[in-house]
Amino acid sequence: DIQMTQSPSTLSASVGERVTITCRASQSIRRWLAWYQQKPGKAPKVLISSASILESGVPSRFSGSGSGTEFTLTISSLQPDDFATYYCQQYNTYSPVTFGQGTKLEIK
Amino acid sequence: QVQLQESGPGLVKPSQTLSLTCTVSGDSISSGNSSWSWIRQPAVKGLEWIGRFYTTGSTDTDYNPSLKSRVTMSLDTSTNRFSLSLSSVTDADTAVYYCARAPLGTFIDSWGQGTLVTVSS
């Protein structure tokens, strides 16, 4: 199986700050990576697909990059609504789906 | 717009079988355009993918290797529902269970609201 390792597990930041979350795959997944945001009591919501494609309705302060085994999610200027937990997920067609362990973004 | 809704018992006794159903509207589970998954999330923990099926000619399933020996997924195309059975449950299976859709070869684009299943005697 492809293992996904996210870092950090917790991130404390202030409104207006730029933050970056990293996700590493145990083998190449090309660009088959999505980022999700989850708020308490809610299902995850996709932010980015194919490593860098911003999904419809997602604010442009979110961006994704990377390919192969290393990926990043960047929020350019944190807003109060962004404090949540973020997950990466690989969706390589020929492997079981796997998620990163999550990054909880907290208010500093 | 596709909608998914989980249903089933909220309490299951240890060693018994957990059974959940996902009712889909707005898309056909037999269309062959998507895969249909179960995902769970224990309290204050991360997401764990349980398994999926997809219908491209025949019905194929993938399961999380760590759960494979206890998981069965099935579908009922006449009612547009699919189901999860997880046998021999323990406390560790207590979680919110989600059903979800992923257009073939892509990310999960639709989720149910989730249903909490507690394993307790």
Side-chain angles (χ1 to χ4, degrees):
Chain A
D1 297 354
I2 300 174
Q3 306 302 317
M4 306 301 292
T5 303
Q6 257 181 264
S7 61
S9 54
T10 306
L11 180 56
S12 296
S14 302
V15 172
E17 270 191 61
R18 178 186 179 91
V19 298
T20 297
I21 299 168
T22 298
C23 184
R24 289 186 173 88
S26 60
Q27 65 188 72
S28 177
I29 56 170
R30 299 171 68 182
R31 295 177 63 83
W32 304 126
L33 184 104
W35 289 98
Y36 299 86
Q37 177 192 67
Q38 187 180 33
K39 296 186 176 178
K42 300 292 187 183
K45 167 192 164 186
V46 65
L47 302 174
I48 287 172
S49 66
S50 298
S52 62
I53 297 175
L54 198 66
E55 289 299 306
S56 176
V58 176
S60 59
R61 62 182 179 273
F62 291 91
S63 64
S65 65
S67 65
T69 62
E70 187 146 343
F71 303 86
T72 58
L73 171 70
T74 299
I75 309 173
S76 61
S77 178
L78 275 173
Q79 299 302 302
D81 191 50
D82 300 338
F83 293 95
T85 301
Y86 293 84
Y87 294 92
C88 61
Q89 178 224 340
Q90 66 81 16
Y91 51 92
N92 183 300
T93 303
Y94 302 105
S95 298
V97 169
T98 44
F99 291 93
Q101 69 268 42
T103 296
K104 186 175 182 180
L105 181 52
E106 299 179 329
I107 301 174
K108 185 185 282 185
Chain B
Q1 182 181 354
V2 65
Q3 292 188 317
L4 301 94
Q5 178 68 58
E6 306 88 352
S7 59
L11 181 64
V12 181
K13 288 182 165 48
S15 80
Q16 293 190 343
T17 296
L18 178 161
S19 296
L20 295 173
T21 296
C22 181
T23 301
V24 179
S25 59
D27 191 6
S28 168
I29 63 173
S30 58
S31 69
N33 297 326
S34 299
S35 65
W36 303 89
S37 290
W38 287 99
I39 295 153
R40 70 181 184 179
Q41 185 171 35
V44 298
K45 290 191 177 178
L47 300 163
E48 180 179 35
W49 178 76
I50 299 170
R52 66 184 168 192
F53 75 87
Y54 40 97
T55 54
T56 49
S58 60
T59 298
D60 295 307
T61 53
D62 286 325
Y63 296 133
N64 184 326
S66 69
L67 298 169
K68 187 173 183 176
S69 63
R70 298 194 291 132
V71 173
T72 303
M73 291 180 62
S74 59
L75 62 159
D76 184 342
T77 57
S78 66
T79 59
N80 214 36
R81 295 174 179 172
F82 63 100
S83 298
L84 169 71
S85 291
L86 180 66
S87 64
S88 305
V89 297
T90 69
D91 292 354
D93 295 309
T94 293
V96 174
Y97 286 75
Y98 295 99
C99 57
R101 181 190 79 168
L104 278 184
T106 72
F107 59 94
I108 294 170
D109 70 346
S110 301
W111 300 71
Q113 65 185 29
T115 187
L116 174 63
V117 178
T118 301
V119 177
S120 175
S121 54

